[in-house]
Amino acid sequence: MRGLVDYHVHTFRCGHAGGASRDFVRRAVDQGLVEIAFTDHIPLYFLPEVDRDPKLAMREDQFAGYLEEVAALREEFTGVIEVRLGLEADYAEGRERELERWLSRADWDVVLGSVHWVAGDWIDDPGRSPARFAAEGVEVLYDEYYRLLEKAARTGFFDVLTHFDLPKKHGHRPAAPRVDAEGRALEAARAAGCALEISSAGLRKAVAEAYPEPRLLSRAVAMGIPVTFSSDAHAPAEVGWGYERTLALARACGVREFVTFQLRRKTARPLPA
Ligand SMILES: [Zn+2]
Ligand SMILES: [Zn+2]
């Protein structure tokens, strides 16, 4: 999609993505994107070392190589496409100091704030989350997720909140929207100057719907919360994937511009015509 960006892309280091990082950039160029931000998963700093599954996030000893590879790609593609250095950083309640230390280790262009770890386990694990929703209750898990997302936004550590309504990933939905809990998370994002991503990844999941859903995106737009575009690509072919649909969603929800980041400074750009 000409003129847009992809602000959420993983490399092989996260253990569940494949392909050469250069091919992600090539794909972005082929799609007519103007920027691509690599945003690999932060090492799982908040879990005991034995539980840091290398299939979920990069290992600590891969961190330096990640920074070097993105810097080399930025150099290689100068004048062709902007390659940004980012990180998808898990928020973990009570571990803010450690997170802050990780974030101080590089000059990021953009830091994505994600909540995947909710009430002592992953909220989006395809193997375990159906049993969790059945046992713990859909409403309870949604409310807890939004409570953590609100706290994440309030740290001020993040430029963009990812997959805002992630608990829906495998199709679990509360009987009625959790309007109050969502509203508190949105208000925290607004107050902190955080953007939301419009992510096509949900279209590839069981829920078959982008993040955030139209009702939530409209609500965010009405509050003046900025947005950016992303695919959460885990393979080169997923870069910019589904953008016809997410651009149409954005327009339908009243989005007029999107934001990009360089060294964490935000710039607004008009939606492509
Ligand atoms: Zn994520
Ligand atoms: Zn991701």
Side-chain angles (χ1 to χ4, degrees), residues 61-256:
D61 63 8
Q62 294 175 301
F63 188 73
Y66 172 60
L67 302 182
E68 281 163 24
E69 186 179 46
V70 176
L73 288 169
R74 164 179 294 163
E75 185 78 22
E76 180 182 341
F77 285 89
T78 300
V80 180
I81 186 170
E82 297 290 348
V83 176
R84 302 293 186 203
L85 174 65
L87 188 70
E88 180 175 10
D90 278 272
Y91 173 73
E93 192 172 30
R95 311 299 289 269
E96 291 82 355
R97 285 245 173 105
E98 285 147 279
L99 176 55
E100 200 167 18
R101 274 202 295 279
W102 272 105
L103 298 183
S104 71
R105 288 175 57 175
D107 292 324
W108 308 107
D109 289 309
V110 62
V111 175
L112 310 183
S114 296
V115 171
H116 306 101
W117 185 261
V118 179
D121 202 351
W122 304 108
I123 189 83
D124 59 332
D125 181 295
R128 297 205 296 273
S129 79
R132 287 200 72 191
F133 279 102
E136 296 169 56
V138 175
E139 279 75 12
V140 170
L141 283 176
Y142 266 75
D143 284 358
E144 178 62 1
Y145 168 81
Y146 282 123
R147 185 186 71 79
L148 293 169
L149 197 60
E150 175 193 353
K151 279 197 87 171
R154 288 201 195 288
T155 62
F157 292 165
F158 306 114
D159 303 303
V160 182
L161 296 183
T162 59
H163 36 61
F164 190 87
D165 46 354
L166 178 66
K168 74 180 179 184
K169 179 173 172 180
H170 304 297
H172 302 95
R173 305 250 200 195
R178 308 306 290 170
V179 176
D180 293 345
E182 294 162 3
R184 287 190 290 271
L186 286 171
E187 176 50 31
R190 193 203 57 74
C194 265
L196 304 191
E197 62 170 6
I198 301 178
S199 168
S200 63
L203 294 167
R204 303 193 297 271
K205 309 297 181 192
V207 68
E209 180 183 85
Y211 307 106
E213 66 175 43
R215 180 185 60 80
L216 274 167
L217 181 55
S218 300
R219 197 173 172 192
V221 171
M223 291 170 72
I225 297 171
V227 299
T228 192
F229 286 86
S230 65
S231 66
D232 210 340
H234 285 72
E238 291 174 353
V239 173
W241 184 89
Y243 272 27
E244 297 79 12
R245 288 159 77 185
T246 47
L247 183 59
L249 166 72
R251 290 209 174 98
C253 293
V255 173
R256 296 226 156 82

